Short mmCIF file of all heavy atoms in Angstrom, two decimals:
data_model
loop_
_atom_site.label_atom_id
_atom_site.label_comp_id
_atom_site.label_asym_id
_atom_site.label_seq_id
_atom_site.Cartn_x
_atom_site.Cartn_y
_atom_site.Cartn_z
N ILE A 201 -41.01 -15.04 -19.18
CA ILE A 201 -41.34 -15.99 -18.10
C ILE A 201 -42.79 -16.43 -18.23
O ILE A 201 -43.12 -17.62 -18.11
CB ILE A 201 -41.06 -15.35 -16.73
CG1 ILE A 201 -39.55 -15.14 -16.54
CG2 ILE A 201 -41.61 -16.23 -15.61
CD1 ILE A 201 -39.20 -14.31 -15.32
N LYS A 202 -43.66 -15.48 -18.49
CA LYS A 202 -45.09 -15.79 -18.64
C LYS A 202 -45.32 -16.75 -19.80
O LYS A 202 -46.24 -17.59 -19.76
CB LYS A 202 -45.88 -14.50 -18.84
CG LYS A 202 -47.38 -14.68 -18.81
CD LYS A 202 -48.10 -13.33 -18.89
CE LYS A 202 -49.61 -13.52 -18.84
NZ LYS A 202 -50.32 -12.20 -18.90
N ALA A 203 -44.47 -16.66 -20.83
CA ALA A 203 -44.60 -17.52 -22.01
C ALA A 203 -43.89 -18.86 -21.82
O ALA A 203 -43.84 -19.67 -22.75
CB ALA A 203 -44.05 -16.81 -23.23
N GLY A 204 -43.33 -19.10 -20.63
CA GLY A 204 -42.71 -20.39 -20.33
C GLY A 204 -41.21 -20.46 -20.55
O GLY A 204 -40.62 -21.54 -20.52
N HIS A 205 -40.58 -19.29 -20.74
CA HIS A 205 -39.12 -19.25 -20.93
C HIS A 205 -38.43 -18.73 -19.66
O HIS A 205 -39.09 -18.32 -18.70
CB HIS A 205 -38.77 -18.32 -22.10
CG HIS A 205 -39.45 -18.67 -23.38
ND1 HIS A 205 -39.16 -19.80 -24.09
CD2 HIS A 205 -40.42 -18.01 -24.09
CE1 HIS A 205 -39.90 -19.85 -25.18
NE2 HIS A 205 -40.68 -18.77 -25.20
N GLN A 206 -37.13 -18.73 -19.68
CA GLN A 206 -36.36 -18.05 -18.64
C GLN A 206 -36.26 -16.58 -19.01
O GLN A 206 -36.04 -16.25 -20.18
CB GLN A 206 -34.96 -18.65 -18.53
CG GLN A 206 -34.93 -20.10 -18.07
CD GLN A 206 -35.31 -20.23 -16.61
OE1 GLN A 206 -34.94 -19.40 -15.77
NE2 GLN A 206 -36.04 -21.28 -16.29
N GLY A 207 -36.39 -15.70 -18.02
CA GLY A 207 -36.34 -14.27 -18.31
C GLY A 207 -34.93 -13.74 -18.40
O GLY A 207 -34.38 -13.48 -19.47
N PHE A 208 -34.30 -13.60 -17.23
CA PHE A 208 -32.94 -13.06 -17.15
C PHE A 208 -32.24 -13.78 -16.00
O PHE A 208 -32.04 -13.23 -14.92
CB PHE A 208 -32.98 -11.56 -16.88
CG PHE A 208 -31.69 -10.81 -17.14
CD1 PHE A 208 -31.70 -9.54 -17.67
CD2 PHE A 208 -30.45 -11.37 -16.83
CE1 PHE A 208 -30.53 -8.83 -17.91
CE2 PHE A 208 -29.27 -10.70 -17.05
CZ PHE A 208 -29.31 -9.41 -17.60
N PRO A 209 -31.88 -15.06 -16.20
CA PRO A 209 -31.27 -15.84 -15.11
C PRO A 209 -29.95 -15.22 -14.64
O PRO A 209 -29.07 -14.95 -15.44
CB PRO A 209 -31.05 -17.23 -15.73
CG PRO A 209 -31.07 -17.00 -17.20
CD PRO A 209 -31.99 -15.85 -17.44
N ILE A 210 -29.86 -14.98 -13.33
CA ILE A 210 -28.69 -14.35 -12.72
C ILE A 210 -28.03 -15.38 -11.81
O ILE A 210 -28.64 -15.87 -10.87
CB ILE A 210 -29.09 -13.10 -11.92
CG1 ILE A 210 -29.76 -12.07 -12.85
CG2 ILE A 210 -27.87 -12.49 -11.23
CD1 ILE A 210 -30.35 -10.88 -12.11
N SER A 211 -26.78 -15.70 -12.10
CA SER A 211 -26.09 -16.75 -11.36
C SER A 211 -25.72 -16.31 -9.95
O SER A 211 -25.43 -15.14 -9.70
CB SER A 211 -24.82 -17.16 -12.11
OG SER A 211 -25.13 -17.69 -13.38
N ASP A 212 -25.72 -17.28 -9.04
CA ASP A 212 -25.26 -17.06 -7.67
C ASP A 212 -23.75 -17.28 -7.65
O ASP A 212 -23.26 -18.36 -7.36
CB ASP A 212 -25.96 -18.03 -6.73
CG ASP A 212 -25.60 -17.77 -5.28
OD1 ASP A 212 -24.89 -16.80 -5.01
OD2 ASP A 212 -26.03 -18.56 -4.42
N GLY A 213 -23.01 -16.25 -7.95
CA GLY A 213 -21.58 -16.35 -8.16
C GLY A 213 -21.24 -15.63 -9.45
O GLY A 213 -22.04 -14.84 -9.96
N TYR A 214 -20.06 -15.90 -9.99
CA TYR A 214 -19.66 -15.24 -11.22
C TYR A 214 -20.77 -15.31 -12.26
O TYR A 214 -21.37 -16.38 -12.43
CB TYR A 214 -18.39 -15.91 -11.76
CG TYR A 214 -17.99 -15.40 -13.12
CD1 TYR A 214 -17.20 -14.27 -13.24
CD2 TYR A 214 -18.43 -16.03 -14.28
CE1 TYR A 214 -16.86 -13.77 -14.48
CE2 TYR A 214 -18.09 -15.55 -15.52
CZ TYR A 214 -17.31 -14.42 -15.61
OH TYR A 214 -16.98 -13.94 -16.85
N PRO A 215 -21.10 -14.22 -12.97
CA PRO A 215 -20.43 -12.91 -12.98
C PRO A 215 -21.11 -11.86 -12.09
O PRO A 215 -21.32 -10.72 -12.53
CB PRO A 215 -20.54 -12.51 -14.45
CG PRO A 215 -21.88 -13.04 -14.87
CD PRO A 215 -22.10 -14.31 -14.07
N ASP A 216 -21.46 -12.22 -10.86
CA ASP A 216 -22.19 -11.27 -10.02
C ASP A 216 -21.37 -10.02 -9.72
O ASP A 216 -21.92 -8.93 -9.53
CB ASP A 216 -22.69 -11.93 -8.73
CG ASP A 216 -21.58 -12.56 -7.91
OD1 ASP A 216 -20.41 -12.53 -8.34
OD2 ASP A 216 -21.89 -13.10 -6.83
#
Side-chain angles (χ1 to χ4, degrees):
I201 292 171
K202 188 175 181 179
H205 305 292
Q206 295 290 322
F208 196 143
I210 300 172
S211 298
D212 184 5
Y214 173 86
D216 57 358

